[in-house]
Amino acid sequence: MTKKMSTHQAEEDRRNDEILIYLNGKIVPKAEAKVSVYDSGFMLGDGVWEGLRLYNGTWAFMDEHLDRLFEAAKAIDLDIGLDREGVENALLETQTANGMTTDAHARLMVTRGVKTRPFQHPSLSQQGPTMTIIMEHSRPNLPRPIKLATVPHIRGLPMSQDPKLNSHSKLNCIIACIAAEKAGADEALMLDVNGFVNTTNACNFFIVRKGEVWTSTGDYCMNGITRQKVIDLCRENGIPVYERNYSLVDTYGADEAFLTGTFGAQTPVGEIDGRQIGSGQMGPMTERIRSLYKNLIEKECA
Ligand SMILES: Cc1ncc(COP(=O)(O)O)c(C=O)c1O
């Protein structure tokens, strides 16, 4: 369990060298997809984004992704410049240009656009938003369960930088991930302000104890769409599921742990802070939830 890995690891696919990118209404080759050094996103991390996945010709949970994108844009007072239909069309246009039908991942990003001068004030962003879509062929490929390390960086209170914002600036998460890597893990397990286990730097986090599925209260973490789908699936299928506070003691002693996110769906966790979790391999509950989620995707993306 030593080789370097990330939760967003995919099979090598040379087709991604030649993909087409959506950039402000145009479809351009990857090599030409460039934004200004004056862009608010580059300069300040001033923007919001969504990660979406294509299965069988359908972008899974499009409504939920659009809801979250527009909610985040409203929160940071950013006019995306397109309505929901416009954003959806941009996604479909990029998909068609790339001839993608399934197993694709899109990162849809909108920033406050190009600034007139290199300073923070949002009024300096006067040219309208910059919107880009990077769409890649993508099949997640994890050779082993993920290793996590708890780090000193916590999930902040909503009145500083609300962890529910899918903001371009992810420095808190990146520093956490670096700390985890230096501790020999793949990804960081982050606590909340009260010391309860909350989330990882890039995914939501669940444990399984005695047939029950536990995840954090939902405060201090991304309101993950996959997280909510897993909670709903548990409820619909008679699996006890709790959004609650729990500690590292509960976590080390769990029978199973797994992560959720659009990219990897459900990713098993084998080790946390040098403690093996359960058997160290994917457990039966994680396997069951993965299968329920796969069925849901098949229904949603028929
Ligand atoms: C910090 C963080 N947690 C969790 C998630 C997973 O959310 P979702 O299931 O909507 O992909 C993301 C994805 O954007 C994220 O950035």
Side-chain angles (χ1 to χ4, degrees):
M1 297 243 308
T2 47
K3 209 162 165 275
K4 265 197 178 182
M5 239 173 67
S6 94
T7 47
H8 290 73
Q9 201 160 299
E11 282 172 14
E12 263 309 298
D13 194 325
R14 300 308 307 212
R15 290 176 298 172
N16 287 330
D17 297 344
E18 305 291 335
I19 48 172
L20 297 169
I21 308 280
Y22 177 97
L23 177 55
N24 290 333
K26 296 203 177 88
I27 299 285
V28 296
K30 183 172 169 174
E32 290 163 33
K34 296 186 175 146
V35 294
S36 167
V37 292
Y38 278 79
D39 193 87
S40 311
F42 172 76
M43 207 177 272
L44 298 148
D46 182 3
V48 289
W49 63 277
E50 277 298 313
L52 299 100
R53 249 190 119 69
L54 180 70
Y55 297 94
N56 300 322
T58 301
W59 291 94
F61 316 124
M62 174 76 92
D63 273 349
E64 287 90 334
H65 283 286
L66 289 178
D67 284 349
R68 191 170 62 184
L69 177 71
F70 278 92
E71 194 170 78
K74 187 173 184 185
I76 69 164
D77 201 25
L78 167 63
D79 180 358
I80 290 179
L82 292 173
D83 59 12
R84 287 172 78 96
E85 200 187 348
V87 173
E88 195 168 336
N89 285 342
L91 204 63
L92 297 179
E93 197 188 326
T94 316
Q95 178 194 339
T96 305
N98 282 297
M100 291 169 176
T101 52
T102 195
D103 294 319
H105 192 88
R107 191 176 182 101
L108 188 158
M109 298 166 274
V110 195
T111 78
R112 208 177 299 279
V114 178
K115 298 183 93 71
T116 51
R117 296 183 57 219
F119 301 104
Q120 189 194 102
H121 204 287
S123 68
L124 298 170
S125 306
Q126 292 170 3
Q127 296 187 18
T130 302
M131 177 166 149
T132 71
I133 303 173
I134 299 176
M135 199 173 284
E136 291 190 337
H137 300 280
S138 160
R139 278 175 177 274
N141 179 23
L142 290 185
R144 60 162 170 78
I146 284 287
K147 281 206 286 187
L148 300 177
T150 313
V151 296
H153 316 90
I154 58 164
R155 306 298 291 187
L157 288 163
M159 71 279 209
S160 47
Q161 187 160 326
D162 195 329
K164 286 190 172 53
L165 275 177
N166 232 350
S167 56
H168 274 220
S169 47
K170 286 276 182 186
L171 212 45
N172 189 36
C173 299
I174 291 165
I175 296 167
C177 191
I178 290 169
E181 270 216 306
K182 287 191 187 296
D186 307 310
E187 182 148 326
L189 183 61
M190 300 175 78
L191 308 180
D192 69 21
V193 288
N194 298 308
F196 295 113
V197 171
N198 193 263
T199 188
T200 74
N201 56 276
C203 297
N204 291 112
F205 180 74
F206 287 74
I207 59 172
V208 180
R209 289 177 60 91
K210 298 189 183 359
E212 295 178 353
V213 175
W214 295 7
T215 193
S216 67
T217 58
D219 298 330
Y220 316 111
C221 67
M222 175 61 60
N223 46 346
I225 291 165
T226 324
R227 173 188 187 275
Q228 190 58 51
K229 297 293 170 192
V230 164
I231 293 169
D232 295 346
L233 282 171
C234 286
R235 288 190 181 135
E236 285 158 22
N237 289 278
I239 300 168
V241 60
Y242 300 99
E243 292 176 83
R244 52 167 291 167
N245 288 322
Y246 59 92
S247 71
L248 278 174
V249 174
D250 303 316
T251 304
Y252 296 147
D255 304 314
E256 302 175 33
F258 63 91
L259 312 180
T260 64
T262 294
F263 182 93
Q266 294 78 35
T267 304
V269 174
E271 193 183 300
I272 302 173
D273 296 335
R275 278 84 158 174
Q276 181 176 300
I277 303 302
S279 67
Q281 298 303 319
M282 178 157 34
M285 181 67 86
T286 309
E287 217 157 335
R288 180 164 177 218
I289 289 170
R290 264 164 74 119
S291 144
L292 291 170
Y293 186 80
K294 194 162 167 267
N295 293 344
L296 176 68
I297 291 286
E298 273 163 18
K299 248 196 313 181
E300 161 97 7
C301 309

